[in-house]
Amino acid sequence: DRYLLVHRIGVGAFGQVYRAEVRGDMGFVSDFAVKVLDSNVVADNPNVARQLGDEARILSQLDHPNIVNVVDFKHIEHAVLGNVYFMVMECVRGTDVATILRRQRSISEANPATAVLHMGLMVSDALAHAHALESRDGHQLCIVHRDLKPQNLMVNFRGQVKVLDFG
């Protein structure tokens, strides 16, 4: 009841991602992205909910400008939908790298080498940060992105790359 789903922005194998709003006092509105697991998938494979919970818990510990921020994870029992699990993340305003590549190919234009290098440096720095993350007791967690692809790299309108969906 805190997050108002505004419109769907993506569909994956286990659920959907929505742009959502949180409204507060005196006209306060803030946008988020909410990944909602399909309750049928959860019913067939309860491990999917545990995996999303693990992803949310781990990503919420990462503090890096090129990794999407995770701010909440919830499980609610809905009278009609059943068990609903969702992860709340910052809403990245921009486009994914796959779309950028398609647009560049459609106009037969090569990607500028400096832009590709700049994006690659941001992604590699984010992945190195995730891999070096230590647990609260000082053990290195060695987080590895299990689904790195152009669709999971968002470029915001300031040119900053955000790594999404660690899987």
Side-chain angles (χ1 to χ4, degrees):
D1 54 330
R2 180 166 186 208
Y3 303 99
L4 173 66
L5 303 183
V6 177
H7 68 85
R8 188 172 63 192
I9 56 177
V11 178
F14 299 118
Q16 302 178 38
V17 179
Y18 295 88
R19 185 178 72 78
E21 293 178 345
V22 171
R23 295 186 176 268
D25 294 336
M26 300 177 72
F28 175 86
V29 179
S30 187
D31 287 338
F32 291 94
V34 177
K35 180 190 277 189
V36 181
L37 288 181
D38 183 316
S39 57
N40 293 322
V41 171
V42 173
D44 292 342
N45 185 359
N47 281 337
V48 172
R50 183 188 52 77
Q51 291 168 346
L52 184 68
D54 289 346
E55 180 183 3
R57 181 179 43 77
I58 290 168
L59 290 181
S60 70
Q61 297 174 55
L62 295 174
D63 183 19
H64 192 277
N66 300 112
I67 297 175
V68 69
N69 292 319
V70 173
V71 296
D72 204 355
F73 178 77
K74 294 283 188 188
H75 166 236
I76 59 172
E77 303 246 356
H78 190 273
V80 175
L81 301 175
N83 286 318
V84 178
Y85 295 86
F86 60 95
M87 178 170 64
V88 181
M89 303 163 283
E90 73 175 292
C91 186
V92 181
R93 288 175 177 75
T95 190
D96 63 67
V97 171
T99 301
I100 294 170
L101 294 173
R102 266 194 314 276
R103 287 180 187 157
Q104 290 296 109
R105 271 185 250 132
S106 73
I107 59 172
S108 300
E109 191 172 302
N111 295 304
T114 54
V116 173
L117 180 60
H118 186 64
M119 288 192 297
L121 289 171
M122 286 186 273
V123 171
S124 61
D125 191 50
L127 297 175
H129 174 78
H131 193 69
L133 181 69
E134 292 183 356
S135 66
R136 297 188 199 294
D137 58 1
H139 292 92
Q140 192 170 357
L141 295 177
C142 300
I143 297 169
V144 175
H145 195 298
R146 298 183 343 189
D147 194 21
L148 191 62
K149 58 188 177 186
Q151 293 85 347
N152 288 336
L153 302 172
M154 290 289 293
V155 180
N156 68 19
F157 293 125
R158 293 184 314 277
Q160 181 181 39
V161 176
K162 294 278 191 169
V163 179
L164 317 169
D165 201 6
F166 273 69

